[in-house]
Every structure is written in structure tokens, then in C-alpha cells.
Amino acid sequence: MKFPNLSRVGQLRKHLKSTLNELGVQAKLDTHRTHGELLVYFQNSDGTVFAPVWISVPDMTTDGWEGCELLKGRWSKYEVGHNGWTFYRDLHYISEETLGADSLIALEKIRAALLSAGPVLTGKHPTTTSNQHFMEAAQQLDDRLILYDDVVIECRRENGVESFNFEDPCGRTWRISFEEGKAIIQLDGEEFSTLPWDQSAAIATLVSDEVYDAVVIRDAGLD
């Protein structure tokens, strides 16, 4: 089946409308030529959400899908903290499939690829970090504080600086901010320590050990 009155992007917008809406992306055409080809890609208006699916278009003289390459990347999603933040890791794996002349079949293959890949939130998204060290340190600390049910790790971004913040069982406030390669650890507003931000285990251990010692002292009635 062909759709002679619609461009490729027009076909996607019409026949995959519900899928694109579900993912929160739009079909767009990259007019920057790469080795004489164009790319159809899927992204929202402000670049904070995309679907890791692309269609390489070698022949711009037709509106059919025959000979186009359907590319799909794989990403993993990680939860960061307890207030809905996420980190997405590119697994650097891309599958390829050549589309045929039947546009309806091609569109269904594109739909399946989009649904399988799912949406990816970029570091520009207000509740997503692109800093892997930030994610790893938050997860390591969460694992070490799991015994304290009332500890809620909240991620924030202020003036471009990302941090995670929590109140420990003794009512003290912690802030661990990630800036220029450093993890700056503050306790009740005062600097407690600074470590390289790629030492996630050391960051989590330092903080959790201090929390543990404070809880032991409190429970022993020595504070």
C-alpha cells in the first residue's frame, strides 16, 4: 500500500498519531545531509524527550519507504532518589532493518520500533540527570540508608547545579552537590567533606557512616 498524497513525515504524523502522542514526541526531518541521506527522527518541541528511533532516507525523489533504513537504539532507565528523577544510559547498540515498498507494513514496523524503544528523557528535562556519577552516588547512598524508612532522598537542580538532599533520622539536613568534578557534602549547611564526584562508593560510605554513628549515639542517650 502507498500514500501518494502524503510525505513520509506526513504519513507518520497521520497514521502514527496516537503512538507519537503516547510517547510525547513528533516526527521531524533532519535537513542536514549525511553522506547524501536524510534522517527522520522523533523528538518533542523543546528537545527534552526523544525516542531512539531514526529512519535513514536515501532517496528524496519519492515519498515511499522502500530502501529506507529503520534504526533503533537501546537505552536503560535508572531511578534516582525518591522524587521521580531518572538517568538514561545509552547502551550503544543499534539495530537496523530495511523497509519495503508497502507503506502500511513499513509504518507498522516503525510503530513497533517506537513502542519497543520507548521515550528517553534528556539531561535538559527538569527531572532527569545526564550525570552518571550523580546517579550512582544517589543509588549507593540509598542502598546504605535503606534501614531508615523515613529517609527521603530528594534530587534538585538549582542554577545548573544538581544535588540530592535528605534529612537523617536525627533531624540533620544533608546536601550533596555535584559541581565541576566534585561532590561537595554539607551537613546542616556547613561543609562536611569534598570528594571527587566519580567516587560514588566513597561518597555514600562517608555519609552513611556518619548517619549510623549519629543514630547509635542518639539511641544510646549520649547526645
Side-chain angles (χ1 to χ4, degrees):
M1 179 180 292
K2 296 181 180 297
F3 300 93
N5 297 323
L6 289 174
S7 67
R8 293 184 181 90
V9 171
Q11 293 174 45
L12 292 166
R13 290 174 176 171
K14 178 178 180 179
H15 295 276
L16 303 185
K17 181 178 179 180
S18 62
T19 299
L20 298 178
N21 287 341
E22 177 183 342
L23 298 175
V25 297
Q26 305 161 12
K28 301 183 179 183
L29 186 65
D30 187 348
T31 56
H32 176 70
R33 291 182 176 270
T34 304
H35 304 300
E37 299 181 353
L38 296 180
L39 282 179
V40 176
Y41 65 103
F42 302 90
Q43 182 178 294
N44 71 342
S45 58
D46 64 4
T48 59
V49 182
F50 71 93
V53 173
W54 306 267
I55 306 164
S56 175
V57 182
D59 182 5
M60 291 302 297
T61 63
T62 71
D63 290 327
W65 297 101
E66 187 171 11
C68 294
E69 291 291 329
L70 175 61
L71 313 172
K72 185 182 75 170
R74 290 179 58 188
W75 291 66
S76 289
K77 176 182 177 182
Y78 298 83
E79 301 297 328
V80 186
H82 303 145
N83 61 324
W85 273 50
T86 51
F87 170 81
Y88 289 81
R89 174 178 286 156
D90 185 354
L91 300 182
H92 300 290
Y93 173 83
I94 295 179
S95 63
E96 302 181 19
E97 181 178 2
T98 303
L99 299 175
D102 190 312
S103 294
L104 187 58
I105 293 176
L107 288 166
E108 287 307 311
K109 287 183 177 180
I110 297 168
R111 185 199 305 276
L114 287 166
L115 291 173
S116 174
V120 172
L121 308 184
T122 72
K124 300 177 183 178
H125 192 279
T127 60
T128 298
T129 179
S130 59
N131 188 333
Q132 181 174 330
H133 305 308
F134 181 83
M135 175 274 291
E136 291 174 345
Q139 289 193 335
Q140 292 256 9
L141 183 59
D142 191 22
D143 288 343
R144 285 166 171 76
L145 299 179
I146 197 169
L147 294 177
Y148 310 115
D149 295 334
D150 53 347
V151 171
V152 177
I153 298 175
E154 179 181 333
C155 299
R156 301 174 189 166
R157 183 183 295 115
E158 298 168 304
N159 299 320
V161 177
E162 295 176 345
S163 66
F164 46 87
N165 308 261
F166 69 96
E167 182 177 302
D168 68 23
C170 296
R172 303 178 303 171
T173 59
W174 291 85
R175 171 183 168 90
I176 300 93
S177 57
F178 285 65
E179 186 174 4
E180 298 179 349
K182 298 180 292 184
I184 303 169
I185 305 169
Q186 293 179 305
L187 174 58
D188 284 337
E190 300 292 332
E191 184 167 330
F192 180 76
S193 184
T194 298
L195 292 171
W197 72 7
D198 61 353
Q199 295 185 12
S200 58
I203 295 166
T205 298
L206 179 68
V207 174
S208 61
D209 283 355
E210 170 62 26
V211 171
Y212 175 80
D213 290 344
V215 170
V216 169
I217 292 173
R218 181 202 64 183
D219 292 346
L222 300 176
D223 54 351

